[in-house]
Amino acid sequence: MTTNRGGDGDGGARSGGAGGGLCAGRVVVVTGAGRGLGRAHALAFAAEGAKVVVNDLGVGADGAGGSDGPARRVADEITAAGGVAVAHTGDIATTHGAASLVATALDAFGRLDTLVNNAGFLRDRMLVNLDEDDWDAVMRVHLKGHFLPLRRAAAHWRAEAKAGRAPEARVINTASGAGLLGSVGQGNYSAAKAGIVGLTLVAAAELGRYGVQVNAIAPAARTRMTERTFAETMAAPPEGEFDAMAPENVSPLVVWLGSAASDGVTGRVFEVEAGRITVMEGWRPGPTVDLGVRWAPVEAGGAARRLLARAEAPRPVYGAR
């Protein structure tokens, strides 16, 4: 299992247009949808009848630069296949960009049903070499880039619910195995992705009253990032063999979570890789002891060691030896 973000991905998805399919009539926003996982998600939603807002800032693998080309190409690809899509090229890690993202869906299609937060990039360093700018940049695009669109969309859905138009709204956030277990050389990315899991749980609890379900995925796929970092395990297979690391393998679950068919599923984290889907079970109370009074330090240490002897060993951090 490896960590990921949305990056370059090959292979398209047939668009079924807006006439039928699991997401017929729904309007879906996908951030970071110009390449890799986000592109695969956008195409898959369109193939199930959704109208799609394709967001991408068009930055490089490290977040530098910017271009409207990737978002527009994916929107054009959906349109050429008979679907309906518009491009949005704003920075969703800003208040203005998040507001314009939701406004684009409402202005173009009159509604918003599903938000897929996927945008991100990597700046990997070992902790002792990780500068503050690299920390801030990764936290900004991943964590703030999830929070701001989620907050804006949630405000819209709350207003709809209070007006008597209860939505069947869905949010799918993009976490990572790095956020669940940690990943050597990815302290900033791991912290951001762990924060996304926490944000998902809180949002699911707070927004359920307004008809909003919030879940997260921790996917593994071949993208611009993973091809560079995990060249051997992410290599494409010979022609004709199942491509286990294709981004398109992740999208079916995302589409289902983003549809009305996922009714009742919220506050969950799923690992998704190749043909495997796993429900991740987070922190739960393990062995415990209660002295009833304050511990002395040596006694507390002895109790901790006895509890650890009874506890499950943690899974290793990715990349640890």
Side-chain angles (χ1 to χ4, degrees), residues 5-321:
R5 64 153 307 260
D8 294 324
D10 296 323
R14 177 185 56 82
S15 173
L22 188 64
C23 293
R26 294 183 71 82
V27 174
V28 178
V29 168
V30 185
T31 69
R35 303 179 177 94
L37 284 168
R39 172 180 173 270
H41 299 340
L43 293 170
F45 273 109
E48 291 294 336
K51 299 174 182 178
V52 184
V53 177
V54 179
N55 163 266
D56 203 285
L57 196 56
V59 299
D62 62 351
S67 165
D68 64 2
R72 298 194 186 282
R73 281 194 295 271
V74 174
D76 289 345
E77 187 175 356
I78 290 171
T79 302
V84 181
V86 296
H88 177 270
T89 58
D91 183 356
I92 48 83
T94 66
T95 299
H96 173 75
S100 70
L101 178 69
V102 173
T104 295
L106 299 178
D107 292 345
F109 305 124
R111 60 185 295 138
L112 172 61
D113 301 287
T114 299
L115 168 65
V116 181
N117 283 316
N118 171 76
F121 55 75
L122 295 180
R123 292 190 183 177
D124 292 352
R125 300 283 190 280
M126 301 299 280
L127 285 173
V128 294
N129 297 320
L130 182 63
D131 16 17
E132 189 175 349
D133 288 345
D134 291 333
W135 174 273
D136 289 345
V138 168
M139 294 296 287
R140 175 185 181 276
V141 69
H142 287 280
L143 193 49
K144 193 175 182 182
H146 272 60
F147 161 65
L148 290 176
L150 172 57
R151 183 183 65 171
R152 192 70 182 198
H156 165 70
W157 288 323
R158 181 181 63 177
E160 288 290 287
K162 289 186 173 182
R165 298 184 294 271
E168 288 184 300
R170 306 288 186 262
V171 178
I172 300 93
N173 291 329
T174 305
S176 168
L180 303 176
L181 297 176
S183 180
V184 172
Q186 294 187 307
N188 49 1
Y189 179 78
S190 297
K193 291 303 190 182
I196 288 168
V197 172
L199 177 64
T200 298
L201 302 180
V202 172
E206 291 184 357
L207 302 179
R209 72 191 72 178
Y210 306 121
V212 184
Q213 295 182 182
V214 187
N215 294 285
I217 60 166
R222 184 176 55 256
T223 70
R224 287 189 294 177
M225 306 300 114
T226 53
E227 279 188 318
R228 178 181 303 176
T229 309
F230 307 103
E232 293 182 7
T233 57
M234 290 292 174
E239 187 174 354
E241 292 186 14
F242 174 56
D243 188 353
M245 290 294 102
E248 290 77 12
N249 298 333
V250 175
S251 299
L253 179 64
V254 174
V255 170
W256 182 79
L257 289 171
S259 75
S262 64
D263 183 47
V265 180
T266 193
R268 294 289 193 163
V269 179
F270 298 86
E271 271 198 345
V272 194
E273 176 183 359
R276 185 175 72 246
I277 298 171
T278 304
V279 177
M280 301 303 289
E281 298 181 337
W283 293 104
R284 298 174 182 273
T288 185
V289 63
D290 184 355
L291 185 62
V293 295
R294 183 183 303 138
W295 295 89
V298 172
E299 294 173 330
R305 288 194 178 278
R306 290 190 294 274
L307 292 174
L308 289 169
R310 293 161 47 199
E312 281 190 37
R315 291 177 60 184
V317 171
Y318 292 120
R321 296 182 179 180

